[in-house]
Amino acid sequence: MPGSHDKANSMLSRRGILLGALAAPALLKASTITAPTAHAITRWRSDPYAYGSYSFLARGAEPTQRRDLAAPLGPLFFAGEATSSDHPSTVHGALLSGRRAAQEIIATGRRRIAVIGAGFAGLGAAAALHAAGVEVEVIDARDRIGGRVHSADLAGATIDLGASWIHGIQDNPLTALAEETRTETRITDWSALHLFNESGRRRFLPFLPRAAQEVEVSHAYGADFTDLSPDAFEEGDEFGGDEVTFPQGYGSLLPALTTGYTITLGKPVRRIDWTPDGGATLTLRGSRRAYDGALITVPLGVLKSGDITFAPALPPEKEAAIADLGMGHLSKVFLRFDAPFWNEDLHAFVYLGEDPTRFATWINIAKTNDAPILMAFHGGSAADALEERPDADIIEDAMDVLTTIWG
């Protein structure tokens, strides 16, 4: 993969991670390390309504296959971050893809539409369709809306188990939603970051070692470096400006997208019968419902699983896109404590241990919601491996690393 590490290096620099390696020293707070009082560990790979965190351009896949996945097919339309060539793997990419699909549907004159999936793609599409006078029903297998955006409570503090950031606030449609809902945001300063070696000592480096680069890439893409296509680093466009998080959670944006149309929850769609010149009939748990068209916004992982049957089957180019594109995995481990024992000025810190995949990147959640919470990332195969371990084992391992750094 010639030049790919240079591209990864550039990508990480833009996110500020490498800049943190040169940050001026800050006073480390001396405190007693205590056991966590609460925790949360995500397991998106085994989630039957996601089977992963977000898509990536896998080795052997072509960037044009995102457009193949997005292409309308008679009464069937497709949206979601995996269909976005401009902003794949992002919430804003999902939202914009839903709005794009809504315009495709409106142009056909279809008047009664089922939207399968109540994530940002589905809700964004439904809001646009409703505004255009189209009768819309959003159907989701979960008992909540939001999809892979999932804000939850951890001992009285809000955490985001799924998406966390608006990646670039300038001209980002999510910024407009935050303003509309008057949702508070807080800037993440990636330069406020420290690096620590396997002994817990502070390191100053002009760039991350190759192994550490690959770990950070696995966090960004949810996939191991060796599983990525060389084109993965060239995909998409970026919005400028700061990256921000939400003290009250990403779910605070949802009310801006959920007014005026029907939302049906707890109903997995198992089969979609369609005809090129006709409509679409959905088989749900205990019922069949007919519509003029259906917009499919479920995650790529669900399409790859085959949990939804299409009759007739999707054409070869669309099936190839589903098979070839990758579904990545980013795991989050949240630990809440009685009080911070780490440097509270840091937005994040990186542990460069003997195993570079082991609790390498930590985020100081206190910068988001003022609660003494740390969150660790694992990506790709490391996230898959972590998901198989019991909570107690994961917490013990995490505390061993934190003790090495701050003890």
Side-chain angles (χ1 to χ4, degrees), residues 370-395:
D370 302 317
I373 298 173
L374 291 175
M375 183 265 287
F377 283 136
H378 291 78
S381 61
D384 291 341
L386 193 77
E387 186 161 301
E388 300 300 320
R389 297 166 60 185
D391 284 16
D393 184 32
I394 294 171
I395 294 170

mmCIF file of all heavy atoms in Angstrom, residues 370-395:
data_model
loop_
_atom_site.group_PDB
_atom_site.id
_atom_site.type_symbol
_atom_site.label_atom_id
_atom_site.label_comp_id
_atom_site.label_asym_id
_atom_site.label_seq_id
_atom_site.Cartn_x
_atom_site.Cartn_y
_atom_site.Cartn_z
ATOM 1 N N ASP A 370 -18.746 17.366 32.261
ATOM 2 C CA ASP A 370 -18.341 17.730 33.624
ATOM 3 C C ASP A 370 -18.365 16.565 34.616
ATOM 4 O O ASP A 370 -18.168 16.782 35.812
ATOM 5 C CB ASP A 370 -19.230 18.864 34.177
ATOM 6 C CG ASP A 370 -19.189 20.104 33.299
ATOM 7 O OD1 ASP A 370 -18.086 20.467 32.861
ATOM 8 O OD2 ASP A 370 -20.262 20.685 33.043
ATOM 9 N N ALA A 371 -18.588 15.357 34.151
ATOM 10 C CA ALA A 371 -18.595 14.192 35.036
ATOM 11 C C ALA A 371 -17.230 13.502 34.962
ATOM 12 O O ALA A 371 -16.596 13.486 33.905
ATOM 13 C CB ALA A 371 -19.687 13.220 34.630
ATOM 14 N N PRO A 372 -16.749 12.916 36.070
ATOM 15 C CA PRO A 372 -15.428 12.259 36.077
ATOM 16 C C PRO A 372 -15.458 10.917 35.356
ATOM 17 O O PRO A 372 -15.515 9.845 35.970
ATOM 18 C CB PRO A 372 -15.139 12.101 37.575
ATOM 19 C CG PRO A 372 -16.486 12.010 38.215
ATOM 20 C CD PRO A 372 -17.391 12.895 37.400
ATOM 21 N N ILE A 373 -15.439 10.984 34.032
ATOM 22 C CA ILE A 373 -15.554 9.791 33.190
ATOM 23 C C ILE A 373 -14.416 9.784 32.182
ATOM 24 O O ILE A 373 -14.102 10.803 31.575
ATOM 25 C CB ILE A 373 -16.902 9.768 32.440
ATOM 26 C CG1 ILE A 373 -18.072 9.722 33.427
ATOM 27 C CG2 ILE A 373 -16.979 8.580 31.484
ATOM 28 C CD1 ILE A 373 -19.430 9.863 32.769
ATOM 29 N N LEU A 374 -13.799 8.626 32.005
ATOM 30 C CA LEU A 374 -12.843 8.396 30.934
ATOM 31 C C LEU A 374 -13.439 7.397 29.953
ATOM 32 O O LEU A 374 -14.202 6.497 30.344
ATOM 33 C CB LEU A 374 -11.518 7.846 31.482
ATOM 34 C CG LEU A 374 -10.671 8.802 32.312
ATOM 35 C CD1 LEU A 374 -9.463 8.071 32.886
ATOM 36 C CD2 LEU A 374 -10.206 10.002 31.472
ATOM 37 N N MET A 375 -13.097 7.556 28.675
ATOM 38 C CA MET A 375 -13.592 6.647 27.652
ATOM 39 C C MET A 375 -12.422 6.209 26.777
ATOM 40 O O MET A 375 -11.625 7.034 26.344
ATOM 41 C CB MET A 375 -14.665 7.323 26.809
ATOM 42 C CG MET A 375 -15.304 6.423 25.762
ATOM 43 S SD MET A 375 -14.509 6.598 24.152
ATOM 44 C CE MET A 375 -15.113 8.206 23.666
ATOM 45 N N ALA A 376 -12.321 4.902 26.522
ATOM 46 C CA ALA A 376 -11.256 4.346 25.698
ATOM 47 C C ALA A 376 -11.828 3.806 24.400
ATOM 48 O O ALA A 376 -12.915 3.225 24.374
ATOM 49 C CB ALA A 376 -10.520 3.237 26.441
ATOM 50 N N PHE A 377 -11.068 4.000 23.309
ATOM 51 C CA PHE A 377 -11.421 3.477 21.992
ATOM 52 C C PHE A 377 -10.671 2.176 21.704
ATOM 53 O O PHE A 377 -9.502 2.016 22.079
ATOM 54 C CB PHE A 377 -11.005 4.457 20.893
ATOM 55 C CG PHE A 377 -11.902 5.647 20.717
ATOM 56 C CD1 PHE A 377 -11.359 6.912 20.554
ATOM 57 C CD2 PHE A 377 -13.278 5.520 20.672
ATOM 58 C CE1 PHE A 377 -12.154 8.022 20.370
ATOM 59 C CE2 PHE A 377 -14.097 6.631 20.490
ATOM 60 C CZ PHE A 377 -13.523 7.882 20.333
ATOM 61 N N HIS A 378 -11.319 1.258 20.988
ATOM 62 C CA HIS A 378 -10.662 0.159 20.284
ATOM 63 C C HIS A 378 -11.307 0.083 18.909
ATOM 64 O O HIS A 378 -12.529 0.249 18.778
ATOM 65 C CB HIS A 378 -10.825 -1.178 21.005
ATOM 66 C CG HIS A 378 -10.078 -1.265 22.304
ATOM 67 N ND1 HIS A 378 -10.536 -0.682 23.455
ATOM 68 C CD2 HIS A 378 -8.896 -1.859 22.608
ATOM 69 C CE1 HIS A 378 -9.672 -0.912 24.437
ATOM 70 N NE2 HIS A 378 -8.669 -1.625 23.951
ATOM 71 N N GLY A 379 -10.522 -0.193 17.867
ATOM 72 C CA GLY A 379 -11.060 -0.248 16.521
ATOM 73 C C GLY A 379 -10.685 -1.527 15.803
ATOM 74 O O GLY A 379 -9.691 -2.181 16.117
ATOM 75 N N GLY A 380 -11.491 -1.889 14.806
ATOM 76 C CA GLY A 380 -11.190 -3.034 13.963
ATOM 77 C C GLY A 380 -11.173 -4.345 14.726
ATOM 78 O O GLY A 380 -12.036 -4.616 15.564
ATOM 79 N N SER A 381 -10.165 -5.172 14.451
ATOM 80 C CA SER A 381 -10.095 -6.495 15.074
ATOM 81 C C SER A 381 -9.918 -6.394 16.585
ATOM 82 O O SER A 381 -10.367 -7.278 17.325
ATOM 83 C CB SER A 381 -8.954 -7.305 14.458
ATOM 84 O OG SER A 381 -7.703 -6.678 14.670
ATOM 85 N N ALA A 382 -9.274 -5.337 17.072
ATOM 86 C CA ALA A 382 -9.132 -5.151 18.522
ATOM 87 C C ALA A 382 -10.491 -4.934 19.167
ATOM 88 O O ALA A 382 -10.755 -5.424 20.271
ATOM 89 C CB ALA A 382 -8.206 -3.980 18.817
ATOM 90 N N ALA A 383 -11.372 -4.194 18.496
ATOM 91 C CA ALA A 383 -12.728 -3.995 19.009
ATOM 92 C C ALA A 383 -13.510 -5.300 18.991
ATOM 93 O O ALA A 383 -14.253 -5.614 19.931
ATOM 94 C CB ALA A 383 -13.453 -2.931 18.190
ATOM 95 N N ASP A 384 -13.340 -6.087 17.923
ATOM 96 C CA ASP A 384 -14.026 -7.374 17.847
ATOM 97 C C ASP A 384 -13.585 -8.293 18.982
ATOM 98 O O ASP A 384 -14.399 -8.982 19.596
ATOM 99 C CB ASP A 384 -13.756 -8.040 16.498
ATOM 100 C CG ASP A 384 -14.425 -7.320 15.338
ATOM 101 O OD1 ASP A 384 -15.370 -6.545 15.585
ATOM 102 O OD2 ASP A 384 -14.005 -7.532 14.197
ATOM 103 N N ALA A 385 -12.264 -8.314 19.245
ATOM 104 C CA ALA A 385 -11.745 -9.171 20.303
ATOM 105 C C ALA A 385 -12.235 -8.717 21.672
ATOM 106 O O ALA A 385 -12.589 -9.536 22.529
ATOM 107 C CB ALA A 385 -10.215 -9.190 20.258
ATOM 108 N N LEU A 386 -12.263 -7.411 21.879
ATOM 109 C CA LEU A 386 -12.708 -6.886 23.167
ATOM 110 C C LEU A 386 -14.159 -7.256 23.430
ATOM 111 O O LEU A 386 -14.547 -7.550 24.564
ATOM 112 C CB LEU A 386 -12.534 -5.367 23.184
ATOM 113 C CG LEU A 386 -12.653 -4.698 24.552
ATOM 114 C CD1 LEU A 386 -11.385 -4.901 25.356
ATOM 115 C CD2 LEU A 386 -12.938 -3.206 24.394
ATOM 116 N N GLU A 387 -14.968 -7.252 22.387
ATOM 117 C CA GLU A 387 -16.395 -7.518 22.551
ATOM 118 C C GLU A 387 -16.666 -8.916 23.101
ATOM 119 O O GLU A 387 -17.694 -9.154 23.733
ATOM 120 C CB GLU A 387 -17.112 -7.335 21.209
ATOM 121 C CG GLU A 387 -18.606 -7.456 21.297
ATOM 122 C CD GLU A 387 -19.327 -6.843 20.106
ATOM 123 O OE1 GLU A 387 -19.159 -5.644 19.859
ATOM 124 O OE2 GLU A 387 -20.054 -7.595 19.450
ATOM 125 N N GLU A 388 -15.740 -9.842 22.872
ATOM 126 C CA GLU A 388 -15.928 -11.217 23.331
ATOM 127 C C GLU A 388 -15.584 -11.398 24.806
ATOM 128 O O GLU A 388 -15.856 -12.451 25.383
ATOM 129 C CB GLU A 388 -15.062 -12.168 22.487
ATOM 130 C CG GLU A 388 -15.380 -12.142 21.001
ATOM 131 C CD GLU A 388 -16.818 -12.529 20.714
ATOM 132 O OE1 GLU A 388 -17.314 -13.471 21.381
ATOM 133 O OE2 GLU A 388 -17.451 -11.902 19.852
ATOM 134 N N ARG A 389 -14.978 -10.398 25.424
ATOM 135 C CA ARG A 389 -14.520 -10.537 26.809
ATOM 136 C C ARG A 389 -15.579 -10.054 27.796
ATOM 137 O O ARG A 389 -16.345 -9.133 27.498
ATOM 138 C CB ARG A 389 -13.220 -9.741 27.008
ATOM 139 C CG ARG A 389 -12.061 -10.247 26.166
ATOM 140 C CD ARG A 389 -10.917 -9.263 26.116
ATOM 141 N NE ARG A 389 -10.370 -8.967 27.440
ATOM 142 C CZ ARG A 389 -9.421 -8.048 27.644
ATOM 143 N NH1 ARG A 389 -8.932 -7.348 26.621
ATOM 144 N NH2 ARG A 389 -8.966 -7.837 28.865
ATOM 145 N N PRO A 390 -15.627 -10.637 28.999
ATOM 146 C CA PRO A 390 -16.592 -10.160 30.014
ATOM 147 C C PRO A 390 -16.217 -8.791 30.533
ATOM 148 O O PRO A 390 -15.046 -8.381 30.505
ATOM 149 C CB PRO A 390 -16.487 -11.222 31.115
ATOM 150 C CG PRO A 390 -15.134 -11.828 30.941
ATOM 151 C CD PRO A 390 -14.849 -11.789 29.471
ATOM 152 N N ASP A 391 -17.212 -8.078 31.034
ATOM 153 C CA ASP A 391 -16.999 -6.714 31.510
ATOM 154 C C ASP A 391 -15.903 -6.649 32.565
ATOM 155 O O ASP A 391 -15.043 -5.751 32.528
ATOM 156 C CB ASP A 391 -18.297 -6.150 32.099
ATOM 157 C CG ASP A 391 -19.301 -5.745 31.035
ATOM 158 O OD1 ASP A 391 -19.135 -6.176 29.869
ATOM 159 O OD2 ASP A 391 -20.244 -5.013 31.368
ATOM 160 N N ALA A 392 -15.921 -7.559 33.537
ATOM 161 C CA ALA A 392 -14.956 -7.499 34.636
ATOM 162 C C ALA A 392 -13.526 -7.604 34.123
ATOM 163 O O ALA A 392 -12.618 -6.914 34.617
ATOM 164 C CB ALA A 392 -15.251 -8.610 35.644
ATOM 165 N N ASP A 393 -13.308 -8.458 33.139
ATOM 166 C CA ASP A 393 -11.979 -8.625 32.558
ATOM 167 C C ASP A 393 -11.539 -7.349 31.843
ATOM 168 O O ASP A 393 -10.389 -6.914 31.952
ATOM 169 C CB ASP A 393 -12.015 -9.809 31.584
ATOM 170 C CG ASP A 393 -10.645 -10.118 30.995
ATOM 171 O OD1 ASP A 393 -9.637 -9.904 31.690
ATOM 172 O OD2 ASP A 393 -10.592 -10.572 29.836
ATOM 173 N N ILE A 394 -12.453 -6.726 31.119
ATOM 174 C CA ILE A 394 -12.142 -5.492 30.399
ATOM 175 C C ILE A 394 -11.801 -4.376 31.372
ATOM 176 O O ILE A 394 -10.823 -3.631 31.178
ATOM 177 C CB ILE A 394 -13.338 -5.087 29.510
ATOM 178 C CG1 ILE A 394 -13.543 -6.123 28.391
ATOM 179 C CG2 ILE A 394 -13.130 -3.692 28.916
ATOM 180 C CD1 ILE A 394 -14.829 -5.919 27.611
ATOM 181 N N ILE A 395 -12.590 -4.242 32.426
ATOM 182 C CA ILE A 395 -12.351 -3.179 33.410
ATOM 183 C C ILE A 395 -11.008 -3.375 34.099
ATOM 184 O O ILE A 395 -10.249 -2.419 34.309
ATOM 185 C CB ILE A 395 -13.500 -3.138 34.429
ATOM 186 C CG1 ILE A 395 -14.804 -2.716 33.746
ATOM 187 C CG2 ILE A 395 -13.176 -2.176 35.573
ATOM 188 C CD1 ILE A 395 -16.026 -2.883 34.615
#
